Amino acid sequence: MPDATESAVTEPPSLGDAVEERSILLGLCYRLLGSLSDAEDAVQDTYIRWYRLEDSAREDVRSPRAWLITTASRICFDLLGSARVRRELYVGEWLPEPIPDPSAWTSSSSQASIDPADRVSMDESVSMALLVVLESMTPAERVAFVLHDVFRFTFAEVAEIVGRSPVACRQLASSARKRIRDSRQIAVPSEEHAAVVRSFKNAWSEGDIGGLIELLDPNVTAVTDGGGLVSAALEPLYGPEEVARFFIGAFGRQPGLHIEEQVVNGEAGLVATSEGKIVAVISVNVSSGMVDHIWAVRNPEKLAAWE
């Protein structure tokens, strides 16, 4: 007979819709950790802790969903501290793990709920641009922002998780919002974003360096993440000419490279394959009709969800 903690990971009894609950937790943990693999581990740990409770303790929990979200948040908060240490030792630039269309990495099927917690797993996945900003925050800022602004936790509830006062948590969330506001460019319609991404793909695939340069903002920045496992620029690239030459050079060095448009973190992006294997997933930020940020993840350990 299987152990209770083993079955809890996929089908926890007494938790309502088990698939829906797992999707919500996975969406939360991904946003807090920036890594789908780490998020899956955190969700599993959350269920294990639920089933380690005494029966009487579980019966006293008024809202299993709230308990799960709170516990998962505490696990992620602890993991964020150690993750910062690991990333200081990372080879080259560290980027969040890109994810495909939400239906490929969550099991959520209902679209009717208006609960903010439900919305996390059903909305378009957060953009790479937002995840990069979240990475610049302290663990407490990140948890306060996600729990309060997305999940609608009160600051008193957030305080119990991060070990700060409610007033301090309000300030943490405010600071996080300011970081996000300061980083955002003027939003463009999804159709315009997709059109620019398509033009970028065409110019890149055709080796048209002039056409590529015309699509790049004068202050464009490109970041590539190889994790020391595959070739990638160890530092950010700046300016249209440097960025264009890098991408054209990369295309030329890998014969048979195929570029196609796919949804990356809820937005139009690009996926590069070679000999049937995915070698890069690329997110693009568009502002005023031009590409101003490019994030290219090449680390094969971060591309597992795409395979």
Side-chain angles (χ1 to χ4, degrees):
M1 184 174 180
D3 184 81
T5 58
E6 294 176 351
S7 62
V9 175
T10 54
E11 293 189 284
S14 305
L15 288 178
D17 187 337
V19 171
E20 193 70 24
E21 299 288 356
R22 186 179 184 281
S23 295
I24 292 166
L25 293 179
L26 189 58
L28 164 72
C29 294
Y30 172 70
R31 284 158 179 80
L32 289 178
L33 299 174
S35 165
L36 190 54
S37 56
D38 288 348
E40 289 171 338
D41 289 343
V43 171
Q44 177 167 324
D45 192 8
T46 299
Y47 282 137
I48 288 173
R49 294 189 187 192
W50 170 260
Y51 279 94
R52 282 179 176 168
L53 290 175
E54 296 290 338
D55 290 344
S56 58
R58 276 204 302 273
E59 291 172 1
D60 289 339
V61 176
R62 291 191 301 173
S63 171
R65 172 178 291 185
W67 188 96
L68 290 169
I69 292 173
T70 298
T71 302
S73 299
R74 286 180 174 141
I75 291 171
C76 290
F77 181 60
D78 291 339
L79 288 174
L80 281 171
S82 59
R84 281 179 170 263
V85 175
R86 294 199 311 271
R87 289 165 194 173
E88 289 176 358
L89 304 175
Y90 197 79
V91 177
E93 296 290 318
W94 189 95
L95 287 174
E97 183 179 338
I99 50 174
D101 186 277
S103 62
W105 64 282
T106 70
S107 303
S108 179
S109 57
S110 171
Q111 296 290 323
S113 177
I114 60 174
D115 188 317
D118 287 333
R119 219 167 43 236
V120 171
S121 62
M122 298 176 193
D123 283 351
E124 289 185 337
S125 302
V126 294
S127 69
M128 184 63 72
L130 180 55
L131 283 175
V132 169
V133 178
L134 290 176
E135 284 298 321
S136 71
M137 299 178 185
T138 67
E141 281 180 325
R142 188 167 185 166
V143 172
F145 171 77
V146 172
L147 284 181
H148 179 265
D149 286 43
V150 179
F151 282 83
R152 301 297 185 257
F153 269 43
T154 67
F155 287 120
E157 292 168 330
V158 175
E160 293 182 4
I161 294 171
V162 301
R164 309 284 181 89
S165 70
V167 172
C169 290
R170 183 185 297 275
Q171 293 171 339
L172 287 168
S174 177
S175 174
R177 284 186 222 106
K178 184 178 185 304
R179 287 178 187 257
I180 293 171
R181 285 195 304 270
D182 291 346
S183 69
R184 280 181 175 168
Q185 304 294 328
I186 299 174
V188 300
S190 58
E191 295 81 3
E192 179 182 343
H193 179 97
V196 173
V197 170
R198 183 171 299 114
S199 296
F200 182 95
K201 183 204 78 167
N202 292 338
W204 184 19
S205 300
E206 295 166 7
D208 181 4
I209 191 167
L212 205 55
I213 288 175
E214 289 181 359
L215 290 168
L216 301 176
D217 184 270
N219 297 311
V220 65
T221 301
V223 177
T224 61
D225 176 347
L229 302 177
V230 294
S231 61
L234 295 179
E235 296 180 354
L237 305 166
Y238 300 102
E241 186 166 334
E242 182 179 9
V243 171
R245 290 190 181 282
F246 175 84
F247 277 91
I248 295 296
F251 194 89
R253 288 190 299 273
Q254 194 149 4
L257 193 66
H258 176 68
I259 314 298
E260 63 179 30
E261 300 164 51
Q262 287 198 32
V263 175
V264 180
N265 285 72
E267 297 180 318
L270 301 172
V271 173
T273 59
S274 178
E275 299 180 347
K277 182 178 180 180
I278 293 176
V279 295
V281 174
I282 300 162
S283 299
V284 175
N285 195 71
V286 176
S287 178
S288 301
M290 305 184 80
V291 175
D292 60 2
H293 284 88
I294 302 171
W295 299 279
V297 176
R298 297 210 61 225
N299 185 340
E301 293 180 350
K302 295 184 178 183
L303 302 180
W306 296 84
E307 301 291 353

